[in-house]
């Protein structure tokens, strides 16, 4: 396991964070003027993120929605820089080969809750996304069984509009039609 080592004095800026060396073992986020480092996600998280990404991408294509589905991309917020697990962004905003996109081009963020990030994904990040006027916020909880909590921005805060439970297909209308049963998102698939 590597440990990030760098020297920095004073408040952090978005430019400071984006100038850090790429490190696949750590995610860097800027909340206010504070640098937040999180370990790379585990296998369950990665598996579920990939499968949800593929399902969202297929649904967006079927709906001919002018969006792109991305994993772990830097999103610039009024109060810093975050790295949501999955982002659905306006296709025009992703045309350039940059390292970040502005929150105003984001239609949906999805966070997958892991043991080390529960407070961030359940409390802090929804406030930041709402402040940035991201219209849709979804949260995938793993325990006791996978479930997807679907929320929509209403009056400056997120209101839950649906919960997709394991073993049941849930139909979601926005930002494009999408059906999901979260039961198989995190299960290992063995190939023989």
């Amino acid at each position: 396991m590597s440990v990030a080592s760098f020297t920095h004095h004073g408040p952090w800026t978005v430019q400071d964070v984006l100038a850090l060396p790429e490190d696949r073992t750590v995610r860097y986020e800027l909340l206010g003027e504070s640098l937040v480092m999180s370990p790379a996600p585990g296998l369950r998280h990665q598996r579920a993120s990939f499968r949800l990404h593929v399902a969202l991408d297929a649904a967006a294509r079927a709906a001919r929605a002018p969006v792109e589905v991305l994993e772990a991309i830097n999103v610039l917020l009024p109060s810093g820089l975050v790295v949501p697990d999955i982002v659905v962004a306006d296709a025009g905003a992703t045309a350039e080969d940059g390292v970040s996109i502005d929150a105003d081009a984001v239609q949906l963020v999805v966070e997958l809750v892991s043991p080390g990030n529960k407070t961030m994904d359940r409390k802090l990040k929804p406030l930041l996304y709402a402040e940035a006027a991201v219209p849709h916020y979804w949260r995938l909880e793993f325990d006791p069984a996978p479930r997807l909590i679907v929320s929509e921005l209403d009056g400056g805060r997120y209101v839950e509009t649906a919960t997709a439970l394991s073993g049941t297909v849930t139909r979601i209308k926005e930002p494009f039609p999408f059906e999901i049963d979260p039961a198989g998102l995190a299960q290992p698939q063995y190939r023989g």
Side-chain angles (χ1 to χ4, degrees):
M1 178 175 168
S2 69
V3 175
S5 68
F6 42 82
T7 303
H8 181 83
H9 301 286
W12 285 86
T13 66
V14 169
Q15 292 76 22
D16 294 334
V17 175
L18 293 176
L20 290 171
E22 187 173 326
D23 182 347
R24 296 210 177 266
T25 65
V26 178
R27 283 191 182 177
Y28 299 110
E29 296 179 297
L30 180 66
L31 305 179
E33 296 174 339
S34 299
L35 179 67
V36 176
M37 296 170 36
S38 304
L43 290 175
R44 175 176 72 169
H45 183 286
Q46 291 291 74
R47 189 180 300 122
S49 182
F50 172 76
R51 291 177 184 157
L52 187 53
H53 174 174
V54 169
L56 282 166
D57 187 64
R61 288 174 187 269
R64 297 179 186 246
V67 298
E68 185 167 2
V69 182
L70 301 164
E71 288 185 81
I73 186 78
N74 295 315
V75 175
L76 298 170
L77 302 175
S79 56
L81 175 125
V82 293
V83 183
D85 293 310
I86 299 175
V87 171
V88 176
D90 299 333
T94 62
E96 299 283 324
D97 187 26
V99 295
S100 60
I101 59 173
D102 289 325
D104 60 1
V106 176
Q107 294 185 22
L108 164 68
V109 290
V110 183
E111 293 290 358
L112 285 68
V113 178
S114 296
N117 66 5
K118 289 178 184 174
T119 301
M120 291 285 286
D121 292 342
R122 292 178 182 160
K123 298 184 185 230
L124 184 58
K125 282 190 172 180
L127 293 173
L128 298 174
Y129 297 141
E131 175 186 75
V134 174
H136 304 279
Y137 173 70
W138 298 359
R139 190 178 77 239
L140 181 67
E141 297 275 353
F142 290 102
D143 299 312
R147 68 188 182 286
L148 184 67
I149 294 97
V150 177
S151 301
E152 198 170 293
L153 195 61
D154 183 12
R157 57 183 292 230
Y158 289 109
V159 176
E160 286 184 25
T161 57
T163 300
L165 301 173
S166 288
T168 304
V169 174
T170 300
R171 289 169 183 79
I172 302 165
K173 294 180 183 177
E174 297 290 334
F176 43 80
F178 182 65
E179 293 184 356
I180 184 142
D181 175 355
L185 288 176
Q187 294 176 341
Q189 290 183 348
Y190 300 102
R191 298 174 194 248

